[in-house]
């Protein structure tokens, strides 16, 4: 799939497209205009590109402690309406995020790469794979699910969007933090609470409301799982109360050549809460791809 009418802003140096399809040179940071949105990214390290997509209602700084993976140029993005990215309006869907991210990959000439997604980012990644499986060398599904929202979860996400609308995006911090981090981390690691809280507060109102509706109405991605033909790492916190272990085991059972790693002492934001353990799991799995 190719998304037409891509333009790069001045922040993206012209050298970003000069390296070729398999190992492009990517600027340390930039913005890409794609699919009606302006998408901000950062890139760290050197080697093969590895793209990471955050969850709701965070941004690429969720992965601030996951950027140093030897042999990889780790690229983190802000989805439209979050962090430093801009969305054209409030309408949003998981399918549209997927089209935007595939367009982003087009703009940076990224092909046959490993892509990871946390929560909503993982749902987006499954739709990306459904559309263009040939673009991927491997998948990393982090604290996510292929299931559509059930009745109770759909109501919860609609309520989250309504709260953002009525009380402001900052009001979501106290609502969502118990889902992001374990009680122990919330008590003993105020720096983690402060960082994730700041990411939530950076979300635009359109982004927070639109993405909540996208989560409520997300497609059933279970049919995609059996079609996955690339190595897949499934990572999740043992104490994740949003996408619990049962959902991770279900995905592992449906994805051939998949590896499941459960992270002790971590909640839904395992990639941040227990970054060292997540990085170790990713390094070991990435080594198996070489």
């Amino acid at each position: 799939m190719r998304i037409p009418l891509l333009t790069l802003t001045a922040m993206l140096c012209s050298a970003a497209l000069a390296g070729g399809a398999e190992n492009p040179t990517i600027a340390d940071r930039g913005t890409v205009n794609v699919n009606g949105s302006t998408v901000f990214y950062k890139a760290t390290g050197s080697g093969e590109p590895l793209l990471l997509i955050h969850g709701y209602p965070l941004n690429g700084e969720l992965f601030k402690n996951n950027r140093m993976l030897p042999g990889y140029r780790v690229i983190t993005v802000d989805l439209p309406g979050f962090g430093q990215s801009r969305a054209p309006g409030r309408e949003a869907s998981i399918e549209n995020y997927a089209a935007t991210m595939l367009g982003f990959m087009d703009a940076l000439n990224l092909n046959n790469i490993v892509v990871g997604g946390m929560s909503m980012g993982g749902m987006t990644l499954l739709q990306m794979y459904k559309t263009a499986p040939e673009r991927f060398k491997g998948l990393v599904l982090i604290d996510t699910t292929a299931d559509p929202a059930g009745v109770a979860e759909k109501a919860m996400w609609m309520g989250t969007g309504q709260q953002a609308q009525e009380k402001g995006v900052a009001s979501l911090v106290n609502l969502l933090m118990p889902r992001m981090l374990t009680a122990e981390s919330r008590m003993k690691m105020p720096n983690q609470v402060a960082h994730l809280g700041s990411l939530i507060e950076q979300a635009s109102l359109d982004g927070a409301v639109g993405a909540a509706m996208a989560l409520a109405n997300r497609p059933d991605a279970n049919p995609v799982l059996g079609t996955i033909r690339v190595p897949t790492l499934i990572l999740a916190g043992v104490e994740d109360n949003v996408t619990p272990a049962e959902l991770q085991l279900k995905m592992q059972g449906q994805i051939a050549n998949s590896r499941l790693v459960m992270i002790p002492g971590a909640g839904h934001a395992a990639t941040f809460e227990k970054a060292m353990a997540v990085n170790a799991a990713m390094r070991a799995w990435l080594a198996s791809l070489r």
Side-chain angles (χ1 to χ4, degrees):
M1 175 179 176
R2 296 285 166 178
I3 309 298
L5 300 178
L6 301 175
T7 59
L8 303 182
T9 68
M11 289 184 69
L12 176 58
C13 69
S14 60
L17 300 181
E22 296 303 320
N23 192 23
T25 301
I26 300 164
D28 289 344
R29 63 179 59 208
T31 56
V32 176
N33 295 328
V34 54
N35 204 25
S37 300
T38 302
V39 177
F40 174 82
Y41 76 89
K42 285 186 177 181
T44 306
S46 60
E48 296 182 39
L50 188 157
L51 174 64
L52 295 175
I53 307 170
H54 65 84
Y56 179 91
L58 307 169
N59 58 55
E61 290 305 301
L62 167 72
F63 301 109
K64 75 168 192 169
N65 296 323
N66 310 118
R67 289 187 167 120
M68 299 307 296
L69 295 171
Y72 286 86
R73 180 76 162 156
V74 178
I75 307 159
T76 60
V77 295
D78 295 351
L79 286 169
F82 298 95
Q84 298 186 56
S85 292
R86 297 293 173 262
R90 184 165 294 183
E91 295 297 320
S93 69
I94 299 300
E95 297 93 330
N96 189 263
Y97 291 143
T100 299
M101 287 296 95
L102 286 171
F104 175 84
M105 289 174 63
D106 286 341
L108 267 64
N109 206 18
L110 300 173
N111 290 287
N112 191 35
I113 67 167
V114 176
V115 181
M118 177 266 184
S119 194
M120 184 173 76
M123 300 169 194
T124 297
L125 177 54
L126 289 173
Q127 294 304 307
M128 293 166 66
Y129 187 88
K130 176 182 177 181
T131 301
E134 72 282 357
R135 306 293 296 275
F136 301 93
K137 179 179 180 179
L139 307 179
V140 185
L141 300 172
I142 309 167
D143 290 289
T144 192
T145 179
D147 288 355
V151 174
E153 187 187 353
K154 185 171 184 176
M156 181 271 290
W157 286 121
M158 293 179 71
T160 300
Q162 183 176 0
Q163 177 170 323
Q165 178 66 51
E166 295 178 354
K167 298 182 179 180
V169 173
S171 74
L172 299 183
V173 174
N174 290 337
L175 174 69
L176 298 178
M177 203 59 63
R179 305 177 197 172
M180 297 285 183
L181 301 172
T182 62
E184 182 175 8
S185 289
R186 298 197 310 275
M187 291 175 60
K188 297 181 178 180
M189 303 190 72
N191 58 317
Q192 289 195 340
V193 175
H195 179 73
L196 290 182
S198 72
L199 303 191
I200 294 171
E201 291 172 350
Q202 290 170 36
S204 68
L205 181 59
D206 282 350
V209 174
M213 296 303 103
L215 287 165
N217 298 299
R218 66 181 184 264
D220 181 0
N222 281 289
V224 179
L225 301 182
T227 71
I228 295 175
R229 297 290 182 265
V230 297
T232 301
L233 175 63
I234 302 170
L235 283 170
V238 169
E239 298 183 46
D240 186 348
N241 58 18
V242 179
T243 54
E246 293 80 3
L247 297 179
Q248 313 308 315
L249 289 165
K250 179 181 176 182
M251 287 195 297
Q252 184 192 25
Q254 295 183 66
I255 303 175
N257 195 21
S258 62
R259 179 187 300 180
L260 171 61
V261 178
M262 300 296 297
I263 306 297
H268 191 55
T271 189
F272 176 69
E273 188 172 14
K274 296 294 180 180
M276 289 182 64
V278 167
N279 291 346
M282 289 185 66
R283 284 196 299 269
W285 178 77
L286 289 166
S288 71
L289 303 186
R290 295 186 180 275

